[in-house]
Amino acid sequence: ALAKFDLFWLIAFRISGIFYAAPVFGTRYIPPQWKVGFSLLVSLIVLPLAPQPPGGIPEEFIPWLMIAVNELGVGLLIGFMSNLLFIAVQTGGQLLDMEMGFGITNVLDPQSGTPLPLVGNFQYLLTMLVFLTMNGHHLLIAGLVRSLQTIPVGGETLSGPLYESVVRSFSGMFLTAVKLTAPVMGALFLTNVALGFMARTVPQMNVFMVGMPVKVIIGMLVIVAGLPMYLLAFENLSAGLFQEILGVIARLRP
């Protein structure tokens, strides 16, 4: 019974790390007491499914604490990986804001407490709704259980291939941001070219005063027209993201 009790707390450390950094569960809308209670509840539910550590649970406090800190780091890594797609959405929205003239207009993000771009916040909320609609939070919990079954508590190793996979996923986040915003960026680029020709042919016209509302209107029209394709692309990217998370979990295996 004592071994199960120690295993329960080690599982709770990993799950707490996941819920702290993961989308939906890590939002600041949820009070910290609820997050702790939900982490303990999920830990209790998955406890019968979790195998015992390969080397056993140490009885001394310092070795046990080292394993607990390591489990918290593993949970934070999995949660951070699941949040990369949402960071890419916000980054792409920031690129659009600079092109559309909204660069000086920010809104406060309730989740992180930091200012966010206007279009980026709209796309973030939209992708969060799509994430919930496609039961992404269920997939996240399923990945959590998979991580406990694939890598028992205290059985993970931080190796070179793991670091390479994390860096590759982080760099791919910027590429994803560019892909999601490519249609709007292309339309705004053509708008800038057209405004440049107008400035050459009609020097008396104030291109800056005319161009700002034109870029905003064209940008918003392209965003609205491309919403079906954007949502489809997000669903495909979400499926690929969970495959990357499972790949990171597999690389944690000794």
Side-chain angles (χ1 to χ4, degrees):
L2 184 59
K4 281 289 186 181
F5 182 76
D6 292 339
L7 179 62
F8 165 77
W9 283 108
L10 292 176
I11 294 173
F13 271 96
R14 182 186 294 191
I15 293 178
S16 299
I18 294 176
F19 285 168
Y20 177 79
V24 180
F25 300 105
T27 177
R28 294 181 63 181
Y29 290 119
I30 304 177
Q33 298 86 349
W34 289 24
K35 293 180 183 179
V36 173
F38 188 62
S39 300
L40 295 178
L41 177 61
V42 175
S43 303
L44 186 62
I45 294 174
V46 302
L47 179 60
L49 304 176
Q52 288 288 335
I57 301 177
E59 299 180 356
E60 296 79 8
F61 177 72
I62 298 300
W64 183 90
L65 182 61
M66 293 178 62
I67 295 178
V69 173
N70 194 35
E71 291 300 319
L72 181 62
V74 170
L76 290 173
L77 175 62
I78 297 175
F80 172 75
M81 290 293 297
S82 63
N83 207 21
L84 275 180
L85 185 56
F86 295 88
I87 298 175
V89 170
Q90 292 180 345
T91 304
Q94 189 170 7
L95 294 175
L96 292 181
D97 275 354
M98 289 188 294
E99 287 294 324
M100 295 172 62
F102 292 153
I104 59 175
T105 306
N106 288 328
V107 292
L108 185 65
D109 178 24
Q111 177 173 342
S112 61
T114 57
L116 285 179
L118 192 62
V119 178
N121 194 52
F122 165 73
Q123 292 183 335
Y124 175 82
L125 294 176
L126 183 64
T127 50
M128 184 67 71
L129 291 175
V130 177
F131 182 78
L132 293 173
T133 303
M134 60 182 294
N135 292 326
H137 52 301
H138 294 171
L139 295 176
L140 187 61
I141 296 177
L144 183 156
V145 176
R146 174 75 69 86
S147 74
L148 290 172
Q149 295 175 344
T150 305
I151 316 160
V153 172
E156 60 276 339
T157 57
L158 302 179
S159 58
L162 172 65
Y163 297 133
E164 294 177 4
S165 177
V166 173
V167 172
R168 192 181 306 111
S169 300
F170 190 76
S171 60
M173 181 263 295
F174 294 98
L175 181 60
T176 301
V178 174
K179 288 180 179 180
L180 290 175
T181 58
V184 187
M185 294 290 287
L188 293 176
F189 173 75
L190 295 177
T191 303
N192 286 329
V193 172
L195 290 173
F197 280 115
M198 291 178 62
R200 297 289 294 179
T201 55
V202 189
Q204 298 82 7
M205 184 182 64
N206 192 337
V207 179
F208 181 78
M209 295 298 294
V210 175
M212 290 294 293
V214 170
K215 290 170 65 175
V216 170
I217 293 173
I218 292 179
M220 295 304 296
L221 287 176
V222 176
I223 289 175
V224 173
L227 276 181
M229 295 301 298
Y230 175 82
L231 299 180
L232 180 61
F234 178 78
E235 292 181 3
N236 294 331
L237 290 172
S238 297
L241 175 66
F242 285 109
Q243 293 299 323
E244 288 187 15
I245 295 174
L246 294 178
V248 169
I249 293 174
R251 289 180 177 85
L252 283 167
R253 187 186 305 171

